[in-house]
Amino acid sequence: MVVKVHENRNEKNYILNRKSGRSIIERRPVFSPDGESLVIIVENTLRVYNIYTGDWVRSLETETAVNTIIGAEFPEHQNYNLFGCSNNGLLTTWTWENGAVLREIALQIPHNNQVVSFNIINESDCLLLTAHPMKKFLHIGSYNLKTGALNIEYVDTKVPKNDILAVSMGFCNGEPIAAIVSGYCKLHVQNLNRPEKSALLRSKYRLLSVSMSKGGAIAATDTLGRTIVYRGNICDHINVGSEVLHWHALPLFAVHFSKVGSYILTGGMEKVLVKWTIGSLAQKANEKKFIPRLPGFIRYITTSNDHVAVTLSNNSVVIANMQLHVTTTILECGGLSSVTRSLGSSLIYHKKLSSLIVPGRTGYLQLFSTTTDKVLYNIDITEVNHIPSERYNILPVETEVTCAAINASGLWLVTSEYRYDGTNYPEEKLKFWSTHYNASSSFKLNTCVNLSHGGCDVVSIALSRKGDFCITAGNDQKFRIWKFSMEKGKNRWLCLTACYYSSGIAHYLSNPVLNEFKHGDILGIGTVAERPYLSQDQNENDMVRKVWNIHKSNINDRMVEQNSYKGDNAMGGVAISQDGSLIAAWFGSKLTLWDSHLCNLRTTLSHPALRPKGREVQFGNMDAAHYLVCTTDYCLAVWSLLSLTMKWMVQNSPTCLVADPFSNRMMVVNQDNDVFVFTPHDSTPVLSRKRLLDPEEGAISQCAFGNTTRNDVTVYLLRNNSELYSLEPERSSKKQLEAITHRNLPASKFSTLLAEQQVSEVTSSAVAEIQQLNQESLGHKATSLFLSSSSYMVPPVTSLSTSFLELISGCQEVEEIDDQQPAMEVDADTSDDEEIPKVSAPKPEQLCKANYEKIKEKKLKKLLENQVLDLNVTADVFGL
């Protein structure tokens, strides 16, 4: 039965928040004038980070809405202002002290052009490179910073369009010079005061980056890994000299001079930052220092007097001092490899840690805190070194995390990793991680199973609610049952059995990769032929451009298209019921139910609408535990386990399905980015949002439930471009605070007078009560402050009063009246004028010193009076 999904009009107000996933590596960062902060361009805003702590301090935004900001710079002699330019030519000036927008000017760029580069020439002019969608070359011009008018147009300099573009400013003989490279074998040098003076330097290999020093030296990097330093009057071709610095063996994407110009910093695909000594330091010529094993390719380098910031392809910025000692790292979600982006790794919510486990860079998962919106740390899953790139193989296939799952209590995390390069035998591992809340790392490896599915990739993982057994499904058309064992003092996971479903097909490995693998044929080893990408731009198939946009690429054919078996019995998703008694597994278009204790097939559910292949399956929870929800490429279906019939079905092309383990709710997302939260009882959704995000910009690949209550729900959504969103109920705390503040205010002026009169008539007893309460609260506050002080700040115990010690210990000793002493008699004839006998006051140290003998005697007296102890028995025991 097909049921149409109706819109629920009684829903609460839910808001969509973008938690993380913004790219912080698209543009070059800028140091503040004092060198204490780093300005990073994040789409249409500027984020200011502290370089010592890595904390996000503040944001600078434009008053006029813009799509993206291309560049931001401080003028050399106006450090109190920050200039930024958007892609549509809007120039914004911020005051650096308070971050206010000083003015906004629309630069007079050519019609339908988009700004691709922004650089400041001096206090009054800037250089813009703009691109037209129908033209092959860039438009270059200088513009006035105050009026936005075009000053000079450089028509003789023809710079072709390319994704790789680098522009650097400097001075030569007192005149401003611009050096431009765009991924071709040409270096364009343009005199900005005299447009007729320009130079074109050709290279055998493609130039990728350029930087100019204050002394007029130009450093350019190429695809061969060289850094070429030019000195002299380049525009006039007079006494031009060059020097080659060659340590790198792969394309260099970044180069930058130090502030003085005595050092050059380079970096690229080796994931190593190199600092070269040049210039006047002749005794240290060509001396090199390194920061090795960086977690990503180097895209940009920027320097200040004391620090250097390195932008990496894993969506992070590493800040180090000039001695190349890393001080802090600014990390954002994202930076996924093309394989992880295509496979769509899992999105998991860890309730006890209040964090999300999201996919990270190659071989890693990230722990993202939902309370602070920060990446806490990276979880090294594969625990192997990265495979270095070579000239014959720039993008080698590495071991990727393909699946991850966690049980409801958060005790166990299960991950699978896979690598197949088409030459060697596939590498596949299954790992079980235990959670440790008090350790430095929350997850510790417990069991590692090599070739758990015979070398076939794991497509789905499910854990029981208690975390005592696990189900994994692979491309070998089998799902395996894993049990946690504590035999002989060893805590480990063991495989109980493997289950399969087939109709007359032999049960051997059906993946031809496992039977036809080759070894020893590593392409490219021993060859000396030059690669075409070194000197030619191959347009769409250009490897250099693929590496430059590696954080935005979507596919890796060798990893994703692994010749996996896609027959009638190909495995899909698996799930475990709430009580752990049933296992649901997809075998092609047939949904099977298995007994988890006997490991035998109980029944098969099939329907013509479930063809050609099932994708995901989930059991209901709580009062919906007797329902089974499954998805295919075209529909969502709900089965009743009591009658083994389909209760309802909706055709909406779902992409992901998830169940909340702590309620009866489920969530499904379709190809149009429509989000539906529902219960299996009814096809009417509890929460529905149509086209929550634009599907053309990115599809929602994974979803997860957060903290849910009886009436509210919080969900997290992950797009295939690593953007993380949350859909949560609107918080009304601000309105409540306003209501509280205005609740006791008088409604009229007469009420105000009446209230003042009533306040003035407050009785003295009430005032005394309030004063007593204030004194008590002040006393408790003083006690807490005293106890929170350090041990060396607290006075010795002997100098503390007995009443204070009794107060902080929580018990006070009640003095008993001695019955043997006679009651004090008062003489009625005595008067106040009579002399009162003086009593000798004890010394101060006697007041502070407790008489433990008397206290002991009183307690023993109490025990004897209450007959708690039998004197005869105690005498026998203690030998009295």
Side-chain angles (χ1 to χ4, degrees), residues 337-489:
S337 66
S338 57
V339 178
T340 306
R341 194 183 304 275
S342 301
L343 293 175
S345 184
S346 303
L347 177 67
I348 305 169
Y349 181 74
H350 199 295
K351 187 174 182 179
K352 290 189 176 181
L353 295 177
S354 298
S355 302
L356 285 169
I357 300 177
V358 299
R361 59 187 171 96
T362 300
Y364 284 78
L365 293 176
Q366 291 181 341
L367 192 67
F368 177 82
S369 174
T370 57
T371 55
T372 60
D373 293 344
K374 288 184 178 180
V375 178
L376 300 180
Y377 54 83
N378 291 321
I379 308 172
D380 189 0
I381 299 299
T382 58
E383 296 181 334
V384 296
N385 293 330
H386 291 292
I387 300 175
S389 303
E390 297 291 342
R391 285 181 182 172
Y392 63 86
N393 188 13
I394 289 184
L395 292 176
V397 177
E398 299 194 54
T399 305
E400 299 283 350
V401 181
T402 58
C403 288
I406 198 169
N407 69 318
S409 60
L411 291 177
W412 292 99
L413 170 69
V414 184
T415 61
S416 66
E417 55 193 63
Y418 186 77
R419 179 183 181 272
Y420 171 62
D421 57 3
T423 302
N424 297 310
Y425 196 86
E427 301 176 14
E428 177 257 320
K429 292 181 181 178
L430 185 69
K431 293 182 177 180
F432 298 85
W433 307 78
S434 59
T435 306
H436 297 267
Y437 300 106
N438 297 327
S440 58
S441 179
S442 299
F443 301 97
K444 183 179 180 181
L445 181 61
N446 177 269
T447 304
C448 177
V449 183
N450 192 18
L451 300 177
S452 61
H453 282 261
C456 293
D457 187 19
V458 176
V459 298
S460 180
I461 302 175
L463 282 93
S464 63
R465 191 177 185 87
K466 297 180 180 179
D468 52 349
F469 74 97
C470 171
I471 308 297
T472 60
N475 277 328
D476 56 349
Q477 303 181 65
K478 298 178 182 178
F479 72 85
R480 299 180 185 270
I481 302 177
W482 306 83
K483 183 72 174 179
F484 181 66
S485 175
M486 301 179 63
E487 297 179 357
K488 299 180 181 179

Side-chain angles (χ1 to χ4, degrees), residues 40 116 205 209 256 258 270 357 359 371 391 474 507 536 540 574 576 583 653 656 718 731 739 749 836:
I40 297 178
V116 294
Y205 301 101
S209 181
H256 203 275
S258 62
E270 290 90 357
I357 300 177
T371 55
R391 285 181 182 172
H507 310 302
Q536 301 175 10
E540 296 180 357
V574 292
I576 303 174
I583 298 173
S653 301
C656 57
L718 181 66
R731 307 298 179 187
K749 294 183 178 181
I836 301 174

Side-chain angles (χ1 to χ4, degrees), residues 444-589:
K444 183 179 180 181
L445 181 61
N446 177 269
T447 304
C448 177
V449 183
N450 192 18
L451 300 177
S452 61
H453 282 261
C456 293
D457 187 19
V458 176
V459 298
S460 180
I461 302 175
L463 282 93
S464 63
R465 191 177 185 87
K466 297 180 180 179
D468 52 349
F469 74 97
C470 171
I471 308 297
T472 60
N475 277 328
D476 56 349
Q477 303 181 65
K478 298 178 182 178
F479 72 85
R480 299 180 185 270
I481 302 177
W482 306 83
K483 183 72 174 179
F484 181 66
S485 175
M486 301 179 63
E487 297 179 357
K488 299 180 181 179
K490 294 183 179 180
N491 300 334
R492 56 186 177 180
W493 288 79
L494 301 175
C495 181
L496 294 183
T497 184
C499 302
Y500 50 86
Y501 180 91
S502 181
S503 57
I505 300 177
H507 310 302
Y508 54 81
L509 297 181
S510 58
N511 193 335
V513 173
L514 305 180
N515 301 320
E516 299 175 3
F517 71 94
K518 300 176 292 183
H519 59 86
D521 185 15
I522 308 299
L523 301 178
I525 289 183
T527 59
V528 294
E530 292 186 356
R531 304 294 164 178
Y533 70 85
L534 293 176
S535 56
Q536 301 175 10
D537 188 346
Q538 299 174 333
N539 299 325
E540 296 180 357
N541 297 324
D542 185 36
M543 293 300 300
V544 178
R545 190 182 289 110
K546 284 185 178 181
V547 174
W548 179 256
N549 298 319
I550 189 67
H551 59 289
K552 297 185 291 185
S553 58
N554 293 324
I555 193 167
N556 188 320
D557 297 336
R558 287 178 293 173
M559 184 74 179
V560 178
E561 297 180 4
Q562 45 188 286
N563 296 326
S564 60
Y565 183 77
K566 299 179 180 179
D568 296 335
N569 297 319
M571 287 295 302
V574 292
I576 303 174
S577 62
Q578 182 178 358
D579 58 355
S581 60
L582 282 178
I583 298 173
W586 273 112
F587 285 92
S589 60

Side-chain angles (χ1 to χ4, degrees), residues 586 591 610 616-618 628-632 635-637 639 657:
W586 273 112
L591 184 58
L610 302 182
E616 295 177 283
V617 60
Q618 293 287 342
L628 184 65
V629 183
C630 62
T631 61
T632 64
C635 69
L636 170 99
W639 296 81
L657 172 71

Side-chain angles (χ1 to χ4, degrees), residues 825-838:
E825 297 179 359
V826 179
D827 189 1
D829 297 332
T830 59
S831 63
D832 296 338
D833 297 332
E834 293 181 1
E835 185 179 358
I836 301 174
K838 295 182 179 181

